[in-house]
Amino acid sequence: MLDTIFPFVGGIGLFLVGMMLLSDGLVAFAGGALRRGLIRFTGTPLKAFSSGALITALVQSSTATTVTLIGFVSAGLITFSQAIGVVIGASLGSTATGWLVAGLGLQVKLGFYTLPLIGLGALIKLLAHGRWAGIGLALAGFGLLFLGLDMLQDGMRGLAGVFNLARLPVGGFWAHIAVMLIGLAMTALLQSSAAAIATTLTALHTGTINFDQAAAVVVGAAIGTTLTSAIVAIGANVSAKRTALAHILFNLVAGLIAIALLPALLAVIEFLDRYFNTTAGPLSLTTFHTLFILLGVAVFLPQTSRFAQVVERLLPERSDNLVRHLDNSLLSVPAIALEAAQRALEHMALRLFSLYSRILDSPSMPIQPDELPQLHEALEQAFDFVTRTQVASDDKPLSGQRIALLHAIDHLLRMTARLRELGHAPIEFANARYREAVEHSRSMLVAAEGGAAGPPALPGTKSLELVKQEAKALTELAHQVRREILKHAGTDGNTSKALHILDAFRWMDRAARHVSRICHYLKAGRAWSERLNNKEADGGFDLPDEPEQD
């Protein structure tokens, strides 16, 4: 008995480890390019579908694609409607593992010949650095995958002599449902549809189960693979939950269509076997898997917009939360977490600049009691999120972006406190005495509101320089007014008025400095992000010295 159970369990384990190493290695080597491709090629449902299918086939994991996609949607990098196409494509791309196993792994016993790949991969992982270490992981994973398949085949042959799996229910709708649930349970237990399908293909190859039973198990495995995305979405924001729900609904409906049409689909497979003079084996089962997923694609892809609307109605957005994209599930991928924080802070900066502009234009219009407290609370949550984002010390782009964002939050909090001060000591911005300072402030805010808008509206250095020039002009004007007032101090007998004017100019000067530094640090964070994505050869730019304490 142990001679049978140990190779079977060990084979599954080696296959799972191989899949994980292969997927992690490929993502580590080409993760940046894959992420950029996933974001860039999602403009239309067809493009999103194609990118989801291709990336899943490349990384050999629909779970990796879906979990990454949930992170992108949570971060606001792509819209939920765009994510629908990627989800559908990922389900089709997941069939690539079946083709690899059926077409190569089960036809030739490659386990012995891939042993050198495991050693070579481990050596590369130990000696190489950065992206090339990922190649070592991928090679080792590729070798372990086929070694696991060989061991799984040996275990499955022994298992067939102990347990007669052919006695599983067969024939009829409810029998298919029962076997499908077994496939779902296998995937839930193994946490990998690829492992469940590989096990099923091996069982079919060794004659342990018949084709009808294997087909129903594969349908269950396709549905069961959605459990991981459901787990990832627990406690996540609404966007992530919508993406997970879309993944579940697509695979569930596609699976139910396959069960309902199973006799017709099996007849198609039988016809193809006769046409190509083949037997109903692993390749036929993989064809069946691809065929019923394509049926689901044909049903859902033309209706992407309506499908998105249905999911959005099932999970509506609760409120306009400034930090809704700062989801804890993103912390495991620092690059996505910091990108989400970058975008959230850009929106908060715009909200703050808009509020300041409104005060300058209509001094008599009171600030809503909850506006500044909400903004302050959101900034504190953003600070907590960024500080909890763990970045490797040798990752200069991510470290640079993280530091820049912390600086930006510091000045955003200070600017929020400045606006709060107006509730206790209001400034008469309509007074002619402040006209020149107000004009500089308005010009600065016009440039700043463009400078913090984020991609694709983020301007070049020229607008940022305009912000700095206006802030410098305000500083010089404040110094000039201070000299004039102090020169004539006591001559007009109105000391309190003179001090009030001095305080007003000092307030506008320091507010301008905060606006300037907010724009600078957000621009710096964006530059580091672009360097991370290899969009700029020289990357970010030097950060300024720390500002003087207020």
Side-chain angles (χ1 to χ4, degrees):
M1 176 68 73
L2 293 180
D3 293 341
T4 298
I5 298 296
F6 281 15
F8 176 75
V9 175
I12 292 176
L14 283 174
F15 182 86
L16 278 170
V17 171
M19 285 295 300
M20 287 187 289
L21 291 179
L22 178 61
S23 178
D24 291 348
L26 290 173
V27 170
F29 178 72
L34 293 176
R35 284 193 293 267
R36 289 195 299 275
L38 194 59
I39 294 172
R40 184 178 301 175
F41 300 109
T42 52
T44 64
L46 185 58
K47 284 184 178 180
F49 166 76
S50 302
S51 62
L54 180 60
I55 289 173
T56 301
L58 288 174
V59 301
Q60 288 292 299
S61 174
S62 62
T63 298
T65 303
T66 307
V67 171
T68 303
L69 180 66
I70 287 174
F72 286 164
V73 177
S74 296
L77 300 179
I78 62 176
T79 65
F80 170 65
S81 181
Q82 292 171 316
I84 293 288
V86 181
V87 165
I88 296 173
S91 295
L92 180 63
S94 66
T95 64
T97 303
W99 287 105
L100 180 66
V101 172
L104 190 60
L106 296 178
Q107 302 302 319
V108 183
K109 290 183 72 67
L110 294 175
F112 176 77
Y113 299 101
T114 57
L115 285 174
L117 287 181
I118 301 173
L120 179 62
L123 188 64
I124 294 174
K125 170 61 178 172
L126 288 173
L127 299 179
H129 299 284
R131 295 171 59 218
W132 290 104
I135 288 293
L137 274 182
L139 286 175
F142 190 75
L144 284 173
L145 187 151
F146 286 102
L147 184 63
L149 275 176
D150 283 358
M151 191 174 291
L152 187 60
Q153 286 185 65
D154 295 338
M156 190 64 73
R157 289 190 181 95
L159 196 66
V162 179
F163 301 104
N164 187 5
L165 299 180
R167 292 180 179 175
L168 290 172
V170 63
F173 178 78
W174 292 110
H176 291 150
I177 290 290
V179 179
M180 181 191 75
L181 292 175
I182 292 174
L184 194 155
M186 283 175 59
T187 305
L189 182 65
L190 299 174
Q191 282 294 293
S192 170
S193 63
I197 290 171
T199 304
T200 307
L201 288 168
T202 306
L204 180 63
H205 181 67
T206 56
T208 307
I209 58 176
N210 63 41
F211 191 87
D212 287 21
Q213 293 168 327
V217 172
V218 166
V219 173
I223 298 173
T225 192
T226 62
L227 294 176
T228 303
S229 58
I231 292 171
V232 170
I234 293 175
N237 58 30
V238 173
S239 298
K241 290 177 179 177
R242 286 173 176 173
T243 306
L245 179 59
H247 189 211
I248 293 169
L249 289 177
F250 172 79
N251 280 42
L252 179 62
V253 172
L256 292 178
I257 290 174
I259 289 294
L261 300 179
L262 190 58
L265 291 174
L266 293 177
V268 171
I269 298 300
E270 185 179 354
F271 169 78
L272 292 175
D273 285 336
R274 286 200 307 270
Y275 184 81
F276 291 104
N277 196 26
T278 57
T279 58
L283 282 174
S284 300
L285 185 60
T286 305
T287 303
F288 165 79
H289 184 196
T290 305
L291 187 60
F292 83 76
I293 293 295
L294 283 173
L295 277 176
V297 171
V299 171
F300 279 89
L301 194 59
Q303 306 295 327
T304 299
S305 298
R306 291 183 181 179
F307 184 34
Q309 290 171 4
V310 169
V311 176
E312 286 170 350
R313 281 198 293 268
L314 291 174
L315 290 173
E317 190 75 63
R318 298 295 181 186
S319 62
D320 181 22
N321 187 356
L322 287 169
V323 292
R324 64 184 180 276
H325 292 311
L326 303 187
D327 195 88
N328 289 335
S329 63
L330 305 180
L331 294 174
S332 59
V333 189
I336 300 177
L338 291 180
E339 179 63 28
Q342 174 85 38
R343 289 175 177 244
L345 290 173
E346 287 166 354
H347 287 300
M348 290 184 213
L350 282 175
R351 181 77 64 89
L352 193 63
F353 297 159
S354 175
L355 187 58
Y356 187 19
S357 296
R358 196 198 322 161
I359 292 171
L360 290 175
D361 293 337
S362 305
S364 59
M365 182 183 295
I367 301 175
Q368 294 298 323
D370 59 341
E371 283 187 281
L372 287 174
Q374 284 180 356
L375 194 55
H376 187 272
E377 182 181 356
L379 286 167
E380 287 187 333
Q381 291 179 30
F383 179 80
D384 177 67
F385 182 83
V386 174
T387 54
R388 286 189 294 119
T389 304
Q390 300 299 314
V391 176
S393 57
D394 59 346
D395 194 331
K396 189 175 180 180
L398 282 182
S399 296
Q401 186 180 20
R402 185 174 181 273
I403 292 170
L405 295 184
L406 290 173
H407 279 291
I409 294 171
D410 175 42
H411 288 287
L412 282 163
L413 284 168
R414 295 190 191 195
M415 186 62 196
T416 304
R418 288 276 172 209
L419 294 181
R420 272 181 166 176
E421 290 174 3
L422 294 179
H424 306 291
I427 300 173
E428 299 175 5
F429 291 109
N431 192 316
R433 188 73 177 82
Y434 306 127
R435 182 177 299 138
E436 185 177 356
V438 169
E439 287 176 359
H440 282 301
S441 297
R442 284 175 177 156
S443 298
M444 176 187 65
L445 288 171
V446 169
E449 287 174 346
L458 190 70
T461 307
K462 190 174 292 185
S463 293
L464 184 60
E465 285 302 317
L466 180 58
V467 172
K468 293 181 178 180
Q469 288 172 14
E470 294 293 350
K472 184 179 179 181
L474 268 168
T475 298
E476 292 173 353
L477 180 61
H479 288 166
Q480 178 186 337
V481 171
R482 184 172 183 272
R483 285 193 298 269
E484 291 176 359
I485 289 179
L486 293 179
K487 183 178 179 180
H488 300 95
T491 58
D492 56 2
N494 197 342
T495 305
S496 61
K497 182 180 179 181
L499 290 175
H500 181 74
I501 293 172
L502 279 176
D503 286 340
F505 274 94
R506 186 183 296 111
W507 187 95
M508 284 188 278
D509 174 32
R510 291 183 177 177
R513 280 195 252 173
H514 290 314
V515 171
S516 175
R517 286 177 171 86
I518 288 167
C519 291
H520 179 84
Y521 285 119
L522 288 179
K523 177 72 173 175
R526 178 59 58 202
W528 283 118
S529 176
E530 290 173 349
R531 182 176 180 180
L532 178 68
N533 292 325
N534 298 319
K535 292 181 180 177
E536 293 183 356
D538 55 351
F541 47 90
D542 293 334
L543 300 179
D545 295 333
E546 271 294 282
E548 297 177 2
Q549 296 294 324
D550 289 341

